[in-house]
Amino acid sequence: MWTLVNSQLSKARLAFLHFDKDLAREVVLKEKRVNGSELKIDRDCENIFALFCPVAIDLRFLLAVLKINSNLERIGDIAEGIARYIIDAEAPFTEELLTSTRILPMYEESGRMLEDTQAAFEREDTILARSVFKRDDLLDEVNKNSNKILEIHLKSRPEDTAQALWILSIIRKLERVGDQSKNVAEEIIFYLEAKVLKHYNNKHG
């Protein structure tokens, strides 16, 4: 499922970059597989709880998987949402808007964050998981600056209003990918170190 969601986010990025509506439609169609995977993993976890009554690290593993599963499903929804924007948009996004908003570096970083959470989980690497927190700064910065940048752009190019709204919506979605990836990193650390980071947001690092 993790690999599938990574692929969905990556394909939505390529569809956005090349204004490829066919690839965007493929992302929308595959969303059913993401939802199917989420339901299967939930059922598997419930069965293990019922049959084995896991404790200690096994219990933490299952609790982490349930929460990661939910976060991955939401990222899958975000990828589908971006793909739908591309299907509905009437023209490719202007180079000027892509450059000034820094949406492409934001998209690349959000994809890398998600890939690194998968690698951290597979390798049981809490150092890699922790590195995800800091890298969310770029996403927050692009998101924070986007309103002002687009406002300035639209004063001289009001004809780009529709495109600016699409881009702003995608920036908001990518910012949420960063948040979901941080949630996943927290669950990996919880599972491996029995630490709950949610209540210590100021102590990341």
Side-chain angles (χ1 to χ4, degrees):
M1 180 185 182
W2 218 316
T3 302
L4 174 60
V5 171
N6 270 323
S7 169
Q8 287 283 90
L9 194 63
S10 176
K11 282 180 179 174
R13 183 177 78 86
L14 289 172
F16 172 68
L17 202 56
H18 303 298
F19 201 64
D20 186 337
K21 288 179 184 276
D22 288 337
L23 189 56
R25 288 188 191 96
E26 182 187 322
V27 171
V28 171
L29 284 171
K30 278 196 177 166
E31 170 61 13
K32 290 189 184 75
R33 282 181 57 197
V34 176
N35 293 336
S37 295
E38 186 205 17
L39 292 172
K40 183 183 183 307
I41 291 166
D42 269 353
R43 277 197 305 272
D44 288 346
C45 288
E46 284 167 15
N47 289 339
I48 293 167
F49 276 122
L51 292 170
F52 302 107
C53 300
V55 295
I57 193 164
D58 292 335
L59 177 61
R60 292 203 306 274
F61 175 81
L62 278 179
L63 292 172
V65 164
L66 280 169
K67 289 182 182 175
I68 290 168
N69 190 33
S70 174
N71 284 304
L72 290 177
E73 193 276 331
R74 284 183 199 137
I75 294 172
D77 283 346
I78 290 167
E80 183 200 18
I82 292 170
R84 286 190 184 279
Y85 288 149
I86 294 149
I87 293 166
D88 292 341
E90 291 174 4
F93 297 97
T94 68
E95 193 66 41
E96 190 181 344
L97 271 175
L98 295 179
T99 304
S100 64
T101 57
R102 294 168 68 212
I103 189 172
L104 297 180
M106 183 192 200
Y107 209 142
E108 284 167 19
E109 190 61 43
S110 64
R112 279 197 295 265
M113 284 172 71
L114 180 59
E115 287 168 8
D116 282 352
T117 60
Q118 183 176 359
F121 183 77
E122 289 174 352
R123 296 182 211 153
E124 301 191 336
D125 184 343
T126 54
I127 293 170
L128 183 56
R130 280 191 171 85
S131 75
V132 169
F133 299 129
K134 187 70 181 163
R135 288 164 52 204
D136 191 48
D137 290 352
L138 171 68
L139 277 60
D140 290 340
E141 185 192 335
V142 172
N143 183 45
K144 189 176 76 176
N145 296 336
S146 58
N147 278 9
K148 193 71 186 166
I149 289 166
L150 290 169
E151 186 186 326
I152 292 164
H153 179 89
L154 290 175
K155 279 178 182 167
S156 59
R157 301 284 296 277
E159 70 275 12
D160 287 346
T161 299
Q163 288 214 349
L165 289 171
W166 291 124
I167 283 183
L168 190 60
S169 298
I170 293 170
I171 284 171
R172 296 285 187 265
K173 285 185 177 295
L174 292 174
E175 199 268 336
R176 287 207 294 279
V177 171
D179 289 342
Q180 301 291 348
S181 294
K182 285 195 299 183
N183 290 344
V184 170
E186 286 178 357
E187 294 308 324
I188 293 166
I189 294 163
F190 160 74
Y191 147 55
L192 292 171
E193 297 184 358
K195 289 179 182 175
V196 179
L197 290 186
K198 278 194 169 62
H199 304 298
Y200 299 96
N201 281 330
N202 297 325
K203 296 181 182 176
H204 289 161

